[in-house]
Amino acid sequence: DFEDAVHLLNRAIALRPDYISTYDYLYTSLSGMNRFDAATAAADRGIDRARELLELIPKDQNSHLYLASLLARRGLREESLAEVARAHERNPKDGFTCFHIGVVHAILGNREEAIKFLVLAQSRKFHVRSEKHNAEFDILRNLPEFQALVQ
């Protein structure tokens, strides 16, 4: 129910504007409703807030990862890839980090890199199987490597 999700996500942002992931979820929900102008505005707000937050807390891994997702959604490929490179360099063995790098690569259409990082995430105990129906991975669905990850 995207409409309820949008309402709740907007409330969450009003209460906790530093949770950059919420802007990313809002983007996805608005896109699901074909409200692309509003989705773009949500992504831009999230990008701005993430950059402000990272000025104060440069090592905030969550903010770096979700900033990378939002940049990818806005088509800012090089900036997004730079963010995931920094995040991976800071925490290369973290399954959560590897998973989100895989998401960014899927958004950008980098199928091989997405699979590579999802495999790394799973090897580091992130349960990729639980993401079987994640729309971010539609581009990967027909790949045997992805099917093996979600079985």
Side-chain angles (χ1 to χ4, degrees), residues 18-20 50 53-67 83 87 90:
D18 293 344
Y19 285 12
I20 306 307
L53 186 60
L54 289 167
E55 286 288 319
L56 300 171
I57 310 168
K59 293 183 180 182
D60 182 349
Q61 189 76 340
N62 248 11
S63 291
H64 281 289
L65 292 168
Y66 283 103
L67 173 58
E83 279 300 323
R90 256 191 313 281

PDB file of all heavy atoms in Angstrom, residues 18-20 50 53-67 83 87 90:
ATOM      1  N   ASP A  18      17.428  12.607   9.897  1.00  0.00           N
ATOM      2  CA  ASP A  18      18.784  12.103   9.676  1.00  0.00           C
ATOM      3  C   ASP A  18      18.826  10.635   9.258  1.00  0.00           C
ATOM      4  O   ASP A  18      19.901  10.104   9.007  1.00  0.00           O
ATOM      5  CB  ASP A  18      19.637  12.289  10.931  1.00  0.00           C
ATOM      6  CG  ASP A  18      19.885  13.757  11.218  1.00  0.00           C
ATOM      7  OD1 ASP A  18      19.667  14.592  10.313  1.00  0.00           O
ATOM      8  OD2 ASP A  18      20.304  14.073  12.343  1.00  0.00           O
ATOM      9  N   TYR A  19      17.694   9.977   9.182  1.00  0.00           N
ATOM     10  CA  TYR A  19      17.649   8.591   8.706  1.00  0.00           C
ATOM     11  C   TYR A  19      17.516   8.626   7.186  1.00  0.00           C
ATOM     12  O   TYR A  19      16.411   8.675   6.644  1.00  0.00           O
ATOM     13  CB  TYR A  19      16.487   7.830   9.335  1.00  0.00           C
ATOM     14  CG  TYR A  19      16.686   7.434  10.775  1.00  0.00           C
ATOM     15  CD1 TYR A  19      17.730   7.941  11.550  1.00  0.00           C
ATOM     16  CD2 TYR A  19      15.830   6.539  11.384  1.00  0.00           C
ATOM     17  CE1 TYR A  19      17.895   7.568  12.862  1.00  0.00           C
ATOM     18  CE2 TYR A  19      15.989   6.164  12.717  1.00  0.00           C
ATOM     19  CZ  TYR A  19      17.020   6.693  13.438  1.00  0.00           C
ATOM     20  OH  TYR A  19      17.195   6.323  14.744  1.00  0.00           O
ATOM     21  N   ILE A  20      18.637   8.603   6.512  1.00  0.00           N
ATOM     22  CA  ILE A  20      18.674   8.791   5.069  1.00  0.00           C
ATOM     23  C   ILE A  20      17.951   7.656   4.346  1.00  0.00           C
ATOM     24  O   ILE A  20      17.360   7.857   3.285  1.00  0.00           O
ATOM     25  CB  ILE A  20      20.124   8.945   4.574  1.00  0.00           C
ATOM     26  CG1 ILE A  20      20.846  10.071   5.346  1.00  0.00           C
ATOM     27  CG2 ILE A  20      20.174   9.197   3.072  1.00  0.00           C
ATOM     28  CD1 ILE A  20      20.128  11.405   5.362  1.00  0.00           C
ATOM     29  N   ALA A  50      21.769  14.007   3.460  1.00  0.00           N
ATOM     30  CA  ALA A  50      22.903  13.097   3.653  1.00  0.00           C
ATOM     31  C   ALA A  50      24.217  13.865   3.602  1.00  0.00           C
ATOM     32  O   ALA A  50      25.112  13.638   4.426  1.00  0.00           O
ATOM     33  CB  ALA A  50      22.887  11.994   2.599  1.00  0.00           C
ATOM     34  N   LEU A  53      24.608  15.812   6.794  1.00  0.00           N
ATOM     35  CA  LEU A  53      24.913  14.904   7.897  1.00  0.00           C
ATOM     36  C   LEU A  53      26.351  14.404   7.821  1.00  0.00           C
ATOM     37  O   LEU A  53      27.050  14.323   8.835  1.00  0.00           O
ATOM     38  CB  LEU A  53      23.935  13.734   7.879  1.00  0.00           C
ATOM     39  CG  LEU A  53      24.012  12.746   9.035  1.00  0.00           C
ATOM     40  CD1 LEU A  53      23.752  13.449  10.362  1.00  0.00           C
ATOM     41  CD2 LEU A  53      23.020  11.627   8.831  1.00  0.00           C
ATOM     42  N   LEU A  54      26.805  14.083   6.618  1.00  0.00           N
ATOM     43  CA  LEU A  54      28.162  13.563   6.457  1.00  0.00           C
ATOM     44  C   LEU A  54      29.226  14.626   6.704  1.00  0.00           C
ATOM     45  O   LEU A  54      30.374  14.285   7.011  1.00  0.00           O
ATOM     46  CB  LEU A  54      28.327  12.915   5.090  1.00  0.00           C
ATOM     47  CG  LEU A  54      27.565  11.595   4.962  1.00  0.00           C
ATOM     48  CD1 LEU A  54      27.491  11.144   3.508  1.00  0.00           C
ATOM     49  CD2 LEU A  54      28.190  10.523   5.841  1.00  0.00           C
ATOM     50  N   GLU A  55      28.857  15.885   6.597  1.00  0.00           N
ATOM     51  CA  GLU A  55      29.773  16.963   7.001  1.00  0.00           C
ATOM     52  C   GLU A  55      30.026  16.890   8.507  1.00  0.00           C
ATOM     53  O   GLU A  55      31.133  17.135   8.969  1.00  0.00           O
ATOM     54  CB  GLU A  55      29.189  18.333   6.643  1.00  0.00           C
ATOM     55  CG  GLU A  55      29.232  18.659   5.181  1.00  0.00           C
ATOM     56  CD  GLU A  55      30.641  18.950   4.684  1.00  0.00           C
ATOM     57  OE1 GLU A  55      31.398  19.634   5.390  1.00  0.00           O
ATOM     58  OE2 GLU A  55      30.963  18.471   3.581  1.00  0.00           O
ATOM     59  N   LEU A  56      28.989  16.535   9.249  1.00  0.00           N
ATOM     60  CA  LEU A  56      29.087  16.449  10.709  1.00  0.00           C
ATOM     61  C   LEU A  56      29.652  15.111  11.174  1.00  0.00           C
ATOM     62  O   LEU A  56      30.391  15.053  12.159  1.00  0.00           O
ATOM     63  CB  LEU A  56      27.702  16.658  11.338  1.00  0.00           C
ATOM     64  CG  LEU A  56      27.016  17.978  11.064  1.00  0.00           C
ATOM     65  CD1 LEU A  56      25.574  17.953  11.560  1.00  0.00           C
ATOM     66  CD2 LEU A  56      27.791  19.105  11.716  1.00  0.00           C
ATOM     67  N   ILE A  57      29.253  14.030  10.502  1.00  0.00           N
ATOM     68  CA  ILE A  57      29.643  12.674  10.896  1.00  0.00           C
ATOM     69  C   ILE A  57      30.150  11.946   9.643  1.00  0.00           C
ATOM     70  O   ILE A  57      29.420  11.173   9.019  1.00  0.00           O
ATOM     71  CB  ILE A  57      28.452  11.907  11.522  1.00  0.00           C
ATOM     72  CG1 ILE A  57      27.779  12.738  12.610  1.00  0.00           C
ATOM     73  CG2 ILE A  57      28.915  10.557  12.078  1.00  0.00           C
ATOM     74  CD1 ILE A  57      26.445  12.184  13.063  1.00  0.00           C
ATOM     75  N   PRO A  58      31.396  12.198   9.256  1.00  0.00           N
ATOM     76  CA  PRO A  58      31.912  11.661   7.987  1.00  0.00           C
ATOM     77  C   PRO A  58      31.945  10.136   7.898  1.00  0.00           C
ATOM     78  O   PRO A  58      31.938   9.594   6.799  1.00  0.00           O
ATOM     79  CB  PRO A  58      33.332  12.227   7.901  1.00  0.00           C
ATOM     80  CG  PRO A  58      33.394  13.334   8.883  1.00  0.00           C
ATOM     81  CD  PRO A  58      32.348  13.078   9.913  1.00  0.00           C
ATOM     82  N   LYS A  59      31.938   9.445   9.009  1.00  0.00           N
ATOM     83  CA  LYS A  59      32.041   7.983   8.983  1.00  0.00           C
ATOM     84  C   LYS A  59      30.691   7.279   9.099  1.00  0.00           C
ATOM     85  O   LYS A  59      30.645   6.071   9.297  1.00  0.00           O
ATOM     86  CB  LYS A  59      32.963   7.506  10.108  1.00  0.00           C
ATOM     87  CG  LYS A  59      34.402   7.925   9.893  1.00  0.00           C
ATOM     88  CD  LYS A  59      35.302   7.378  10.967  1.00  0.00           C
ATOM     89  CE  LYS A  59      36.740   7.818  10.707  1.00  0.00           C
ATOM     90  NZ  LYS A  59      37.649   7.279  11.675  1.00  0.00           N
ATOM     91  N   ASP A  60      29.600   8.003   8.931  1.00  0.00           N
ATOM     92  CA  ASP A  60      28.270   7.402   9.038  1.00  0.00           C
ATOM     93  C   ASP A  60      28.015   6.503   7.822  1.00  0.00           C
ATOM     94  O   ASP A  60      27.621   6.961   6.755  1.00  0.00           O
ATOM     95  CB  ASP A  60      27.207   8.502   9.134  1.00  0.00           C
ATOM     96  CG  ASP A  60      25.807   7.966   9.298  1.00  0.00           C
ATOM     97  OD1 ASP A  60      25.587   6.743   9.144  1.00  0.00           O
ATOM     98  OD2 ASP A  60      24.904   8.775   9.574  1.00  0.00           O
ATOM     99  N   GLN A  61      28.262   5.215   8.001  1.00  0.00           N
ATOM    100  CA  GLN A  61      28.195   4.254   6.901  1.00  0.00           C
ATOM    101  C   GLN A  61      26.802   4.183   6.280  1.00  0.00           C
ATOM    102  O   GLN A  61      26.659   4.130   5.066  1.00  0.00           O
ATOM    103  CB  GLN A  61      28.632   2.868   7.410  1.00  0.00           C
ATOM    104  CG  GLN A  61      28.818   1.840   6.342  1.00  0.00           C
ATOM    105  CD  GLN A  61      30.103   2.004   5.549  1.00  0.00           C
ATOM    106  OE1 GLN A  61      30.709   3.062   5.518  1.00  0.00           O
ATOM    107  NE2 GLN A  61      30.521   0.944   4.890  1.00  0.00           N
ATOM    108  N   ASN A  62      25.767   4.187   7.097  1.00  0.00           N
ATOM    109  CA  ASN A  62      24.392   4.153   6.580  1.00  0.00           C
ATOM    110  C   ASN A  62      24.125   5.323   5.652  1.00  0.00           C
ATOM    111  O   ASN A  62      23.539   5.167   4.582  1.00  0.00           O
ATOM    112  CB  ASN A  62      23.399   4.188   7.739  1.00  0.00           C
ATOM    113  CG  ASN A  62      22.655   2.901   7.895  1.00  0.00           C
ATOM    114  OD1 ASN A  62      22.988   1.900   7.294  1.00  0.00           O
ATOM    115  ND2 ASN A  62      21.636   2.942   8.725  1.00  0.00           N
ATOM    116  N   SER A  63      24.543   6.498   6.065  1.00  0.00           N
ATOM    117  CA  SER A  63      24.314   7.684   5.239  1.00  0.00           C
ATOM    118  C   SER A  63      25.071   7.582   3.922  1.00  0.00           C
ATOM    119  O   SER A  63      24.542   7.954   2.871  1.00  0.00           O
ATOM    120  CB  SER A  63      24.711   8.950   5.989  1.00  0.00           C
ATOM    121  OG  SER A  63      23.813   9.173   7.062  1.00  0.00           O
ATOM    122  N   HIS A  64      26.290   7.082   3.965  1.00  0.00           N
ATOM    123  CA  HIS A  64      27.047   6.904   2.716  1.00  0.00           C
ATOM    124  C   HIS A  64      26.338   5.928   1.782  1.00  0.00           C
ATOM    125  O   HIS A  64      26.223   6.180   0.584  1.00  0.00           O
ATOM    126  CB  HIS A  64      28.461   6.396   2.999  1.00  0.00           C
ATOM    127  CG  HIS A  64      29.404   7.455   3.438  1.00  0.00           C
ATOM    128  ND1 HIS A  64      29.883   8.428   2.589  1.00  0.00           N
ATOM    129  CD2 HIS A  64      29.973   7.692   4.641  1.00  0.00           C
ATOM    130  CE1 HIS A  64      30.704   9.219   3.258  1.00  0.00           C
ATOM    131  NE2 HIS A  64      30.769   8.801   4.503  1.00  0.00           N
ATOM    132  N   LEU A  65      25.865   4.817   2.321  1.00  0.00           N
ATOM    133  CA  LEU A  65      25.235   3.794   1.485  1.00  0.00           C
ATOM    134  C   LEU A  65      23.922   4.280   0.878  1.00  0.00           C
ATOM    135  O   LEU A  65      23.661   4.071  -0.318  1.00  0.00           O
ATOM    136  CB  LEU A  65      25.016   2.513   2.297  1.00  0.00           C
ATOM    137  CG  LEU A  65      26.297   1.784   2.688  1.00  0.00           C
ATOM    138  CD1 LEU A  65      26.000   0.707   3.713  1.00  0.00           C
ATOM    139  CD2 LEU A  65      26.991   1.213   1.463  1.00  0.00           C
ATOM    140  N   TYR A  66      23.090   4.923   1.681  1.00  0.00           N
ATOM    141  CA  TYR A  66      21.818   5.407   1.149  1.00  0.00           C
ATOM    142  C   TYR A  66      22.003   6.645   0.272  1.00  0.00           C
ATOM    143  O   TYR A  66      21.235   6.847  -0.672  1.00  0.00           O
ATOM    144  CB  TYR A  66      20.795   5.613   2.255  1.00  0.00           C
ATOM    145  CG  TYR A  66      20.222   4.296   2.700  1.00  0.00           C
ATOM    146  CD1 TYR A  66      20.622   3.688   3.876  1.00  0.00           C
ATOM    147  CD2 TYR A  66      19.298   3.633   1.898  1.00  0.00           C
ATOM    148  CE1 TYR A  66      20.114   2.462   4.257  1.00  0.00           C
ATOM    149  CE2 TYR A  66      18.786   2.394   2.268  1.00  0.00           C
ATOM    150  CZ  TYR A  66      19.199   1.819   3.447  1.00  0.00           C
ATOM    151  OH  TYR A  66      18.692   0.592   3.812  1.00  0.00           O
ATOM    152  N   LEU A  67      23.025   7.438   0.539  1.00  0.00           N
ATOM    153  CA  LEU A  67      23.361   8.524  -0.377  1.00  0.00           C
ATOM    154  C   LEU A  67      23.714   7.941  -1.744  1.00  0.00           C
ATOM    155  O   LEU A  67      23.253   8.439  -2.778  1.00  0.00           O
ATOM    156  CB  LEU A  67      24.519   9.359   0.162  1.00  0.00           C
ATOM    157  CG  LEU A  67      25.084  10.432  -0.780  1.00  0.00           C
ATOM    158  CD1 LEU A  67      24.005  11.417  -1.213  1.00  0.00           C
ATOM    159  CD2 LEU A  67      26.258  11.140  -0.111  1.00  0.00           C
ATOM    160  N   GLU A  83      30.734   6.959  -3.916  1.00  0.00           N
ATOM    161  CA  GLU A  83      30.233   6.719  -2.552  1.00  0.00           C
ATOM    162  C   GLU A  83      30.353   5.254  -2.159  1.00  0.00           C
ATOM    163  O   GLU A  83      30.775   4.939  -1.045  1.00  0.00           O
ATOM    164  CB  GLU A  83      28.779   7.162  -2.413  1.00  0.00           C
ATOM    165  CG  GLU A  83      28.589   8.627  -2.208  1.00  0.00           C
ATOM    166  CD  GLU A  83      29.256   9.167  -0.950  1.00  0.00           C
ATOM    167  OE1 GLU A  83      29.285   8.492   0.099  1.00  0.00           O
ATOM    168  OE2 GLU A  83      29.761  10.288  -1.037  1.00  0.00           O
ATOM    169  N   ALA A  87      32.512   3.564   0.852  1.00  0.00           N
ATOM    170  CA  ALA A  87      31.859   2.716   1.856  1.00  0.00           C
ATOM    171  C   ALA A  87      32.527   1.347   1.918  1.00  0.00           C
ATOM    172  O   ALA A  87      32.773   0.819   3.010  1.00  0.00           O
ATOM    173  CB  ALA A  87      30.371   2.569   1.528  1.00  0.00           C
ATOM    174  N   ARG A  90      35.958   1.518   3.617  1.00  0.00           N
ATOM    175  CA  ARG A  90      35.847   1.677   5.064  1.00  0.00           C
ATOM    176  C   ARG A  90      35.435   0.401   5.765  1.00  0.00           C
ATOM    177  O   ARG A  90      35.809   0.161   6.906  1.00  0.00           O
ATOM    178  CB  ARG A  90      34.815   2.763   5.389  1.00  0.00           C
ATOM    179  CG  ARG A  90      35.391   4.071   5.804  1.00  0.00           C
ATOM    180  CD  ARG A  90      34.345   5.015   6.353  1.00  0.00           C
ATOM    181  NE  ARG A  90      33.146   5.110   5.543  1.00  0.00           N
ATOM    182  CZ  ARG A  90      33.034   5.822   4.433  1.00  0.00           C
ATOM    183  NH1 ARG A  90      34.048   6.503   3.991  1.00  0.00           N
ATOM    184  NH2 ARG A  90      31.902   5.844   3.758  1.00  0.00           N
TER     185      ARG A  90
END
